[in-house]
């Protein structure tokens, strides 16, 4: 009996309950003494719901998630990847949202902690002397809603016994079903998304070195639940003797097996990632969640077209000493994006100057309060605030064009990206719902996101969903530049260094603090007159920030 199912509410796994702080432990894992922790899915401070996986454990037969079983906040993680653990071993200390007594009352069946039925069990032993092998879904215990989530082989593919055939997913866990025998796949009987039950025929395999013979007639349509072959029947095997075993990296054939736990597979499905293209950084090449996230990040910042910096290979060393330095990953990805945007969008840049004298006086007056709060307010927070106002007035600037450039997709959210110069290259984190935030909050977010960008700690979500961008070179210098639109947005505001300039007030020159604005827009979406009105409006707002409170 290789596996016990792990109940979603493993109350019985709690070792102790002090007020609302509990230790969640490894629940009953059947007749297995020890399993290896192959993935830790949470960190201290994380909020989890009952269904969230805390970690993934693996024996020589299967891998399985251990869910939190209760809502709460992780106080401490008590295991690490690579640890060997058994039933009752503490996993995390969790501060539950509900009193344990209340949780137990809500799930009396979990508190009873009966030994749950085997989720995956070995199928019948193969009969001897037969050459045709059928691989069927093994005993799946009380698992419900079992579906094929991945078919890892195709007809005529040569497989080894350990090669992954199919991955099925239930309400409790994912399970990898290997071929079980070396040979050639004659037919695959299931496809992704198909529901299966114990005994469903998955594939027919011709054993290695032996001529295939016609299989016995199917008792039912191939994709219907089928009766499992009885031991000794002409069909040789009903399933692999070790169903669900995750093959060792050394024995996996390239492309035929994906080494990832259920939580990772679920994340990949949610993000639409094909795991066969993801390389694993976990132990023995296992794919972990961070690998999937990095894969998505890369995919988002790359295009199929390569960047031809030097159109033909030129041997510059003919002219003098040279050094080749590899571009950082961020810089290389940025280069691809910038080239794609520059070559596919007709850019026009409108220049203007905003008189920010009053804004700067007000900003200076906030300095003592900022010191008390530990927040530095730079012009950027006011600029982002003003942009949100202007974007509400000009909705087509907070938009994207659809693929055929026939429709505007107007965004009713104001997620403002801002360029951050990092040692690795340019990154554009996004302030979500910037229109709903005040200048203090915006300043805090700018500082936090800029710091995270420079420390390479930005989460995928921090860089997604922007509707408009600002690129501020103000602290560095310059009087104007052409910012490149952050596609699929349609406009970007560039900000250069503010400077005191003599401005004619109708009677005399007066010293005013002038902020140079460089506004690039997609000329397919925005015409010049509209852009001019937008920039004038923005200048007015920055010139009289009292209007930002109207
Ligand atoms: N004019 C003059 N001074 C400015 C200014 C401006 N337009 N904008 C900011 N400053 C000042 C700030 O007030 C601050 O001064 P103090 O230290 O005396 O208070 C100083 O410059 C440094 O500001 P900062 O850089 O720490 O903060 P920020 O909010 O202005 O900018 C960030 C944050 C992350 C946008 C910036 O650090 C950065 O990385 N800019 C580069 C962006 C970039 O590379 N753009 C080009 C992309 S290609 O299109």
């Amino acid at each position: 009996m290789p596996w016990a199912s792990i109940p979603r509410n493993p109350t019985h796994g709690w070792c102790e309950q002090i007020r609302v702080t509990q230790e969640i432990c490894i629940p009953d894992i059947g007749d297995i003494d020890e399993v290896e922790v192959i993935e830790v899915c949470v960190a201290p401070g994380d909020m989890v719901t009952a269904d969230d996986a805390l970690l993934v454990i693996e024996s020589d037969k299967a891998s399985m998630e251990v869910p939190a079983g209760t809502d709460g906040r992780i106080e401490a993680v008590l295991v690490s990847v690579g640890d060997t653990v058994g039933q009752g071993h503490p996993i995390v200390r969790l501060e539950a949202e509900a009193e344990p007594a209340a949780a137990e009352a809500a799930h009396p069946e979990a508190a009873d902690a009966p030994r749950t039925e085997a989720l995956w069990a070995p199928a019948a032993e193969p009969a001897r002397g037969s050459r045709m092998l059928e691989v069927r879904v093994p005993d799946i215990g009380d698992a419900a809603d079992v579906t094929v989530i991945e078919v890892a082989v195709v007809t005529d593919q040569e497989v080894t016994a350990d090669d992954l055939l199919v991955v099925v997913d239930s309400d409790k866990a994912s399970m990898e079903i290997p071929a079980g025998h070396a040979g050639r796949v004659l037919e695959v009987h299931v496809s992704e998304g198909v529901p299966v039950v114990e005994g469903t025929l998955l594939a027919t395999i011709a054993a290695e070195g032996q001529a295939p013979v016609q299989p016995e007639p199917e008792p039912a349509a191939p994709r219907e639940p089928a009766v499992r072959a009885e031991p000794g029947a002409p069909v040789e095997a009903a399933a692999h003797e070790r169903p669900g075993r995750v093959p060792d990296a050394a024995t996996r054939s390239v492309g035929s097996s994906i080494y990832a736990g259920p939580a990772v597979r679920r994340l990949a499905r949610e993000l639409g990632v094909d795991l066969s293209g993801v390389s694993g950084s976990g132990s023995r090449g296992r794919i972990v969640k961070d690998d999937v996230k990095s894969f998505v990040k890369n995919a988002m910042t790359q295009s199929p077209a390569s960047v031809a910096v030097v159109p033909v290979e030129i041997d510059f060393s003919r002219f003098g000493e040279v050094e080749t330095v590899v571009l950082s990953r961020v810089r290389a990805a940025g280069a691809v994006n910038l080239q794609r945007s520059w070559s596919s969008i007709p850019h026009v840049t409108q220049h203007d100057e905003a008189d920010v004298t009053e804004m700067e006086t007000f900003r200076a007056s906030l300095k003592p309060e900022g010191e008390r709060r530990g927040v530095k307010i730079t012009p950027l927070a006011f600029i982002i605030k003003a942009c949100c106002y202007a974007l509400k007035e000009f909705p087509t600037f907070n938009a994207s064009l659809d693929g055929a450039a026939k429709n505007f997709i107007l965004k009713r959210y104001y997620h403002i990206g801002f360029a951050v110069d990092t040692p690795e290259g340019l990154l554009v984190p996004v302030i979500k719902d910037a229109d709903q935030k005040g200048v203090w909050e915006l300043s805090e977010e700018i500082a936090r996101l800029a710091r995270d960008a420079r420390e390479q700690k930005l989460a995928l979500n921090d860089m997604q969903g922007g509707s408009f961008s600002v690129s501020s070179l103000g602290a560095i210098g310059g009087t104007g530049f052409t910012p490149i639109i952050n596609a699929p947005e349609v406009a970007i505001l560039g900000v250069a260094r503010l400077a005191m300039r003599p401005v004619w007030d109708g009677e005399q020159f007066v010293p005013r603090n002038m902020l140079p604005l460089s506004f690039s827009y997609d000329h397919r979406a925005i015409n010049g007159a509209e852009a001019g009105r937008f920039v004038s409006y923005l200048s007015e707002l920055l010139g009289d920030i009292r209007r930002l409170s109207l």
Side-chain angles (χ1 to χ4, degrees):
M1 189 173 291
W3 269 106
S5 66
I6 296 178
R8 282 291 172 199
N9 195 322
T11 315
H12 61 290
W14 296 346
C15 292
E16 55 182 66
Q17 300 172 359
I18 305 164
R19 279 188 240 139
V20 288
T21 300
Q22 302 140 18
E23 277 188 356
I24 308 290
C25 302
I26 298 284
D28 183 351
I29 48 176
D31 55 359
I32 297 169
D33 293 330
E34 288 187 324
V35 287
E36 188 186 336
V37 176
I38 55 166
E39 193 179 343
V40 177
C41 314
V42 291
D46 284 358
M47 297 301 297
V48 292
T49 64
D51 275 349
D52 285 347
L54 296 177
L55 45 80
V56 183
I57 50 178
E58 184 185 88
S59 74
D60 64 339
K61 300 191 176 81
S63 56
M64 182 163 289
E65 293 176 4
V66 180
T70 184
D71 296 0
R73 192 180 64 83
I74 303 294
E75 273 193 351
V77 178
L78 308 172
V79 289
S80 318
V81 171
D83 285 358
T84 303
V85 294
Q87 182 182 343
H89 189 107
I91 307 167
V92 295
R93 209 164 41 246
L94 179 143
E95 193 182 277
E97 287 174 349
E99 288 294 330
E104 196 168 305
H107 300 278
E109 77 290 350
D112 287 348
R115 165 83 170 75
T116 48
E117 273 184 58
L119 178 58
W120 305 106
E125 278 296 306
R128 298 226 174 113
S130 182
R131 287 165 288 182
M132 186 63 66
L133 314 172
E134 285 188 348
V135 184
R136 293 177 182 270
V137 175
D139 180 0
I140 50 177
D142 59 356
D145 299 329
V146 184
T147 312
V148 173
I149 58 166
E150 189 178 320
V151 177
V153 292
V154 292
T155 306
D156 275 342
Q157 184 174 329
E158 296 291 336
V159 290
T160 66
D162 276 337
D163 280 351
L164 178 66
L165 210 59
V166 161
V167 182
V168 294
D169 199 23
S170 77
D171 59 336
K172 299 200 171 78
S174 297
M175 173 63 64
E176 296 180 347
I177 301 177
H181 298 265
R184 186 167 58 83
V185 176
L186 288 178
E187 192 173 351
V188 180
H189 300 274
V190 289
S191 55
E192 282 175 24
V194 168
V196 292
V197 295
E198 178 187 345
T200 300
L201 180 62
L202 299 172
T204 321
I205 294 177
E208 209 164 50
Q210 294 171 319
V213 295
Q214 286 304 307
E216 292 290 304
E218 287 293 323
R223 294 196 179 164
E224 291 301 308
V227 179
R228 179 142 55 98
E230 290 301 317
V235 174
E236 185 177 339
H240 186 232
E241 60 205 2
R242 292 180 299 165
R245 193 175 90 84
V246 178
D248 291 334
T251 56
R252 274 183 285 144
S253 64
V254 176
S256 67
S257 177
I258 291 163
Y259 191 22
V264 175
R265 288 178 187 281
R266 187 172 313 129
L267 177 70
R269 280 202 304 286
E270 280 166 11
L271 296 174
V273 171
D274 176 2
L275 281 176
S276 62
V278 181
S279 22
S281 64
S283 81
R284 289 178 285 139
R286 184 175 188 86
I287 301 171
V288 296
K289 280 184 175 173
D290 279 350
D291 297 326
V292 177
K293 289 177 188 166
S294 306
F295 183 87
V296 173
K297 259 189 204 172
N298 282 347
M300 286 175 59
T301 51
Q302 274 166 19
S303 92
S306 61
V307 189
V309 178
V310 181
V312 285
E313 288 301 326
I314 299 172
D315 179 10
F316 295 104
S317 66
R318 284 187 294 136
F319 310 113
E321 192 181 316
V322 294
E323 183 188 353
T324 302
V325 178
V326 177
L327 265 64
S328 72
R329 201 177 47 77
V330 171
R331 196 176 286 263
V336 173
N337 270 347
L338 290 167
Q339 184 183 22
R340 184 176 46 197
S341 180
W342 184 250
S343 54
S344 64
I345 296 176
H347 280 66
V348 178
T349 304
Q350 167 94 9
H351 299 279
D352 204 345
E353 274 188 331
D355 182 339
V356 293
T357 313
E358 267 81 51
M359 182 190 98
E360 281 300 275
T361 308
F362 179 55
R363 192 170 71 87
S365 74
L366 293 174
K367 209 169 172 190
E369 188 180 346
E371 276 161 12
R372 276 200 306 280
R373 288 174 177 242
V375 182
K376 183 169 84 173
I377 297 190
T378 65
L380 187 56
F382 288 99
I383 293 165
I384 288 177
K385 187 95 194 131
C387 283
C388 292
Y389 269 74
L391 292 170
K392 286 191 176 174
E393 196 69 21
F394 295 82
T396 54
F397 291 59
N398 192 53
S400 289
L401 289 177
D402 69 3
K406 297 257 189 240
N407 297 294
F408 276 116
I409 301 170
L410 306 178
K411 295 160 192 173
R412 304 290 187 220
Y413 53 85
Y414 300 86
H415 299 341
I416 311 297
F418 64 101
V420 180
D421 177 37
T422 82
E424 291 296 302
L426 193 66
L427 287 170
V428 187
V430 175
I431 300 177
K432 301 279 162 50
D433 299 315
D435 61 315
Q436 292 163 33
K437 293 177 179 165
V439 168
W440 289 114
E441 200 179 345
L442 287 172
S443 300
E444 275 170 359
E445 277 219 42
I446 291 166
R448 176 184 68 82
L449 289 167
R451 188 189 58 238
D452 285 356
R454 288 179 177 131
E455 292 174 3
Q456 298 196 53
K457 285 188 188 154
L458 285 178
L460 182 60
N461 185 43
D462 289 330
M463 303 209 286
Q464 281 179 329
S467 57
F468 181 83
S469 296
V470 177
S471 174
S472 172
L473 283 174
I476 297 163
T479 55
F481 62 105
T482 305
I484 297 181
I485 296 164
N486 193 10
E489 295 162 21
V490 292
I492 182 169
L493 178 71
V495 180
R497 187 178 202 97
L498 62 84
M500 195 65 81
R501 293 195 203 292
V503 175
W504 184 252
D505 70 357
E507 291 176 3
Q508 59 183 330
F509 281 105
V510 288
R512 305 295 290 178
N513 238 329
M514 303 303 287
L515 180 71
L517 303 175
S518 305
F519 179 74
S520 293
Y521 57 94
D522 181 341
H523 210 343
R524 295 170 306 165
I526 295 166
N527 64 39
E530 288 166 337
R533 283 193 280 272
F534 179 91
V535 178
S536 298
Y537 184 67
L538 187 64
S539 296
E540 278 172 33
L541 289 172
L542 290 169
D544 185 0
I545 52 166
R546 291 171 306 173
R547 298 181 60 188
L548 296 180
S549 58
L550 294 177

